[in-house]
Amino acid sequence: MEPDATSPSASESNFGHRHLLGTEGLSRSDVSQILDLSDQYVEQNRQVDKKAGVLRGRTLINLFFENSTRTRTSFELAGKRLGGDVINMSVSTSSIKKGETLIDTAMTLNAMHPDVLVVRHGDSGAVQLLAEKVNCAVINAGDGSHEHPTQALLDALTIRRRKGHLEGLNVAICGDVTHSRVARSNIYLLNTMGARVRVVAPPTLLPTYVERLGVEVHHDLRDGLTDCDIVMMLRLQTERMQGSFVPSMREYFYFHGLDYDKLAAAKPDALIMHPGPMNRGVEIDSEVADDIDRSAIHEQVEMGVAVRMACLDLLVRNQTAPWGLNR
Ligand code: NCD
């Protein structure tokens, strides 16, 4: 069934969440529900007329305290394609620069009755804190090095469409796991869906508790890629590093950067992924990143819009009417 302009097809949704703060709290059926609906939005986004009416009369505010290209644009497009009013708050020109606290900013926006707040913040836990204070649905668009649920969902959608399933796949998440919210959200989600996850990084870029997340640990990229179906590369998040975690970028690329030579250890049809932004020549070789037969990097961006439409759709359907009764 394909969603049309007036009656997209999640009307019997039983998505039991008010917010989307992480993948840690999502069940297998939650994830499948989001991915199934996303598949429909992928089709819709490939039509000339991409508009649906699910968010008609609703307001989405994008509140980004950290830089973003893909995620912010993708939420904006998703909100607009669903017929909602979308506002992008630019933190650099807001009262936050005058010393207003996160909670005061959130309460001010809340008083304007948005239906969804999409928030990115540099501190782990900040988005959860904000969600506890407002009446509307909150989507975590990345909090510190904690979670980035829509990135993991779009990665899962990309993999499921390419490989047909998630269960039983060997997925290697490689690079700066310590600072990566993308890694954490992917580990929770992929484990829930029955994939086998490995993390591959030098010890300095792995959190000490990492095995407890249910992953296999490798320090050598060739070892970690052996027999793997999916190679997910991560950016070195230098903006979150205090001190030096790698000897030099050159040495990092030599030992831990993905090139054809190291990729040869993976399955011949292994899919290459990267959440972006990429640092070419640091964690990934340009030739590999641009290999149209192996790399799904642009497809991930396309899937991102569809996944965000599905998440917005499921969350607004879940809101009780009239809005804010539970104040
Ligand atoms: C990621 C993020 O912001 O966590 N990017 C993204 O959302 N596409 C990964 C990163 O910044 O390296």
Side-chain angles (χ1 to χ4, degrees), residues 68-112:
S68 173
T69 306
R70 276 149 279 264
T71 310
R72 200 194 55 72
T73 322
S74 174
F75 270 111
E76 182 176 355
L77 256 185
K80 287 181 171 165
R81 286 194 180 158
L82 292 176
D85 295 315
V86 182
I87 289 168
N88 293 310
M89 278 270 312
S90 162
V91 167
S92 59
T93 55
S94 73
S95 291
I96 293 151
K97 288 284 167 210
K98 298 182 186 170
E100 190 172 69
T101 66
L102 168 68
I103 299 304
D104 283 338
T105 304
M107 295 314 284
T108 303
L109 296 176
N110 188 52
M112 298 180 198

Side-chain angles (χ1 to χ4, degrees), residues 64 66-72 120 141-144 147-148 150-151 154 179-183 233-237 239-240 274-279 283 301 308:
F64 277 58
E66 276 191 348
N67 297 343
S68 173
T69 306
R70 276 149 279 264
T71 310
R72 200 194 55 72
R120 169 170 285 191
D143 64 323
E147 280 239 36
H148 187 358
T150 56
Q151 179 67 45
L154 76 86
H179 301 101
S180 176
R181 51 201 177 202
V182 174
M233 299 309 295
L234 299 171
R235 183 175 65 88
L236 264 188
Q237 314 232 328
E239 76 278 18
R240 294 189 211 289
H274 192 304
M278 269 186 285
N279 282 323
E283 69 267 359
V301 179
R308 284 159 185 137

